[in-house]
Amino acid sequence: MAKGKSEEWRTKEGLTLIGGWARDGLTDEQIAHNMGISRSTLNEWKKKYPDISDTLKKGKDVVDIQVENALLKRALGYKYKETTKELTKSGFMMVTKEVIKEVVPDTTAQIFWLKNRRPDKWRDKPVAVESDVYEDDGLLTALDAQVDEIEDDSWMLEDEDENS
């Protein structure tokens, strides 16, 4: 009896390929294409075969952590050593200069990080806080009455303007 396609991908070699593609940052759609199956088939296999699902999760976790680390590094800024080498007459590469360079913190990376990691403090639209409901103490009614009175008296101002 021939092996099914899913069994071929559940071998050590198949899972290694799937994990590598996930670590390379390929989407499930791209991984399914590489496997010669549809995205829906891959989704079914992820539900049915824990080894495939776990391999994809572990592979993607590695890349996600690398991106998180790179984003944090960029947000905080960092220093690095730049080495310049030149070919000597004798055919060897020789270090001619070493310079410590600095990459300044990136505010865009900081904003992105904070909005996603601390949305309670950094989101664009603050969440409406439920407040106590206050009883009407008559202030709004009094203000409405004053507006009505001003509107009623506005005819006097118009007459004064005409007489001036």
Side-chain angles (χ1 to χ4, degrees):
M1 184 170 167
K3 282 186 176 182
K5 198 165 196 172
S6 66
E7 289 182 38
E8 294 173 22
W9 285 106
R10 293 174 56 223
T11 64
K12 184 178 178 182
E13 296 79 16
L15 292 172
T16 300
L17 270 174
I18 292 170
W21 291 328
R23 278 190 304 280
D24 287 345
L26 271 63
T27 64
D28 281 359
E29 182 91 26
Q30 294 166 323
I31 291 170
H33 175 77
N34 287 355
M35 294 170 71
I37 60 174
S38 68
R39 168 78 188 266
S40 60
T41 299
L42 180 59
N43 287 337
E44 289 174 27
W45 288 3
K46 284 171 27 179
K47 291 176 192 169
K48 192 173 181 179
Y49 305 115
D51 49 354
I52 290 178
S53 178
D54 292 345
T55 298
L56 285 166
K57 284 179 190 173
K58 286 177 188 171
K60 290 178 182 182
D61 285 347
V62 168
V63 175
D64 290 346
I65 290 168
Q66 288 174 334
V67 171
E68 284 177 13
N69 289 338
L71 176 64
L72 179 59
K73 184 177 179 180
R74 187 73 178 115
L76 298 175
Y78 58 95
K79 293 180 182 180
Y80 67 97
K81 185 189 302 186
E82 182 177 275
T83 304
T84 304
K85 295 180 181 180
E86 292 182 13
L87 191 60
T88 63
K89 291 180 182 178
S90 58
F92 294 102
M93 293 297 285
M94 185 174 145
V95 174
T96 57
K97 182 169 57 169
E98 286 188 347
V99 179
I100 303 294
K101 294 204 169 183
E102 183 174 359
V103 176
V104 297
D106 182 340
T107 54
T108 303
Q110 293 169 347
I111 291 166
F112 183 81
W113 182 273
L114 289 170
K115 282 183 179 182
N116 284 282
R117 297 287 299 236
R118 299 295 303 269
D120 55 318
K121 292 184 176 185
W122 292 94
R123 74 180 73 197
D124 287 332
K125 296 180 182 179
V127 174
V129 177
E130 290 185 29
S131 60
D132 295 334
V133 177
Y134 297 101
E135 291 183 27
D136 182 13
D137 59 1
L139 178 61
L140 290 177
T141 306
L143 288 172
D144 285 340
Q146 283 186 341
V147 167
D148 290 343
E149 188 177 319
I150 290 170
E151 288 174 350
D152 289 343
D153 292 342
S154 65
W155 63 271
M156 287 195 275
L157 294 174
E158 290 171 7
D159 286 346
E160 287 177 12
D161 288 342
E162 290 175 7
N163 293 333
S164 308

